[in-house]
Amino acid sequence: QVQLVESGGGSVQAGRSLGLSCTASGISGTLNCMGWFRQAPGKERERVATIYRGPGSTVYADSVKGRFTISQDNAKNTVYLQMNSLKPEDTAMYYCATNLWRTCDNWSTIDYWGQGTQVAVSS
């Protein structure tokens, strides 16, 4: 059974930076993609960024482009999210996600989730 363990997150003031990391274990194959989603209270879960293992291609939500960077260490089955120039609207629970076969483009098609880590940005 694939398990995802996240670390990082916390509370910061607007304009500051935070980093998240997520390591996958229990994998009996090769991950197709890993990604980060977030969910704020009363809002739907949304994709923040996705990275595909093979080509290393990345996709970002428009709201985070130019501020967030997703990267991976394939040898460690770990994905990172560097968040710069944080804004209060980035406040949410951030979830790591991965799929073995399907894409990581939409939360409804994700097979494996981390437990979530809270990010709070104050103005």
Side-chain angles (χ1 to χ4, degrees):
Q1 181 72 10
V2 175
Q3 292 186 320
L4 300 173
V5 178
E6 300 144 336
S7 62
S11 298
V12 296
Q13 290 187 319
R16 306 298 287 263
S17 300
L18 278 176
L20 306 180
S21 65
C22 171
T23 298
S25 62
I27 302 165
S28 58
T30 302
L31 299 174
N32 180 39
C33 53
M34 297 186 78
W36 292 94
F37 290 72
R38 67 186 181 186
Q39 188 166 20
K43 294 188 176 181
E44 191 171 283
R45 190 169 296 192
E46 63 173 356
R47 181 181 62 178
V48 176
T50 298
I51 188 164
Y52 283 83
R53 188 182 182 101
S57 57
T58 57
V59 181
Y60 294 93
D62 288 342
S63 58
V64 307
K65 282 181 182 177
R67 300 187 298 121
F68 290 13
T69 302
I70 189 170
S71 61
Q72 63 186 352
D73 184 333
N74 290 339
K76 297 180 180 180
N77 287 320
T78 298
V79 65
Y80 306 94
L81 185 68
Q82 178 62 38
M83 305 182 290
N84 298 329
S85 302
L86 282 161
K87 303 176 180 180
E89 50 264 43
D90 295 318
T91 296
M93 185 71 78
Y94 282 69
Y95 296 92
C96 178
T98 190
N99 275 339
L100 294 175
W101 302 108
R102 298 194 285 188
T103 66
C104 295
D105 297 336
N106 188 290
W107 67 266
S108 64
T109 60
I110 296 296
D111 292 325
Y112 304 102
W113 292 99
Q115 77 282 4
T117 184
Q118 181 69 42
V119 171
V121 185
S122 59
S123 57

